[in-house]
Amino acid sequence: MKSEPDEFGIDDLERVQQEPWDGVRNYQARNFMRDQMRIGDGVFFYHSNCDVPGIVGLATVATESYPDPTAFDSDDKHFDPKSDPENPRWYLVDVKFERKLKRTLSLRELKEHADELEGFRLIARGNRLSVMPVEKAHWDYVLGLE
DNA sequence: GCCAACGTTGGC
DNA sequence: GCCAACGTTGGC
C-alpha cells in the first residue's frame, strides 16, 4: 500500500497504530481491498512521491472491508456524490502498524532484483496503483533484502 | 518541473 | 462503442 510521507507516512501510522485506508478512488485498488484482503494479511508500507521512494515498513490488515465514509462527506476532499450509502462505490480496510524496516528498501534497489521479483506489480513499468497484491514468494524475497 | 503511463469524461 | 481531451500519479 502506497502513501505519500508528506500526507501520511510510516511514522504517522506508528503514532496512531491503526488507520482507515480511506480516499482510494481507483477501481482496481478498491477491488483488492474489498475482495481480496483478509484480517491479518501482511502489508508493505510504501512511501511514494518523495526523495527515496520505497518500502519503509510493515503493517497488517486489521478489519474486513467496509464502505469508505469519506465518500459520503461533502466536506471531505474525497467526497464522491456518486457514492450512495445504499450502494457504496468505495471500500477500504483498516491498516495496523507492525514495524518499521531497519532500512528503506528503495524502488531503485527493488528494481535491481527484477529477475527474482518478476511479476511484482510495484516494480512494473508505469505502475500507478496505490494498492496491489504481493505474492508470498515476492514478500519473502523482499524481506530477505532487509 | 518534466513527462510517461494510465484512468476518466463526455461528445458523437 | 470509439476516441480525443483532460486529469492524475509518481519516478526521475
Side-chain angles (χ1 to χ4, degrees):
Chain A
M1 301 177 94
K2 296 185 191 172
S3 190
E4 302 188 13
D6 288 348
E7 296 291 323
F8 187 86
I10 189 68
D11 291 332
D12 297 302
L13 185 62
E14 180 174 32
R15 182 166 41 77
V16 300
Q17 286 294 307
Q18 186 166 325
E19 178 76 1
W21 208 257
D22 58 26
V24 172
R25 296 292 179 267
N26 171 284
Y27 289 105
Q28 264 190 289
R30 176 205 68 183
N31 292 346
F32 290 136
M33 287 199 287
R34 188 188 60 182
D35 306 331
Q36 290 188 222
M37 288 188 169
R38 298 292 176 267
I39 292 173
D41 283 353
V43 173
F44 284 144
F45 196 106
Y46 178 91
H47 278 175
S48 65
N49 246 318
C50 55
D51 283 353
V52 184
I55 299 170
V56 296
L58 302 182
T60 54
V61 175
T63 66
E64 298 292 335
S65 65
Y66 59 96
D68 184 341
T70 65
F72 311 133
D73 178 359
S74 59
D75 292 329
D76 194 281
K77 76 172 185 177
H78 299 294
F79 175 59
D80 182 357
K82 294 179 200 155
S83 187
D84 175 359
E86 298 301 311
N87 184 22
R89 175 176 293 200
W90 304 113
Y91 285 77
L92 53 72
V93 297
D94 282 15
V95 169
K96 190 170 69 175
F97 179 79
E98 195 68 31
R99 68 177 176 89
K100 294 190 206 177
L101 296 188
K102 295 192 267 285
R103 65 189 187 86
T104 297
L105 300 175
S106 68
L107 181 63
R108 185 172 191 276
E109 177 179 356
L110 294 173
K111 283 179 170 172
E112 291 170 1
H113 300 268
D115 287 345
E116 296 86 346
L117 295 176
E118 189 178 3
F120 188 17
R121 303 175 70 133
L122 185 67
I123 64 169
R125 202 173 62 104
N127 158 58
R128 287 173 24 189
L129 272 180
S130 62
V131 178
M132 69 191 80
V134 185
E135 293 170 23
K136 177 78 163 68
H138 293 158
W139 175 276
D140 291 340
Y141 185 81
V142 167
L143 277 187
L145 298 174
E146 186 189 10

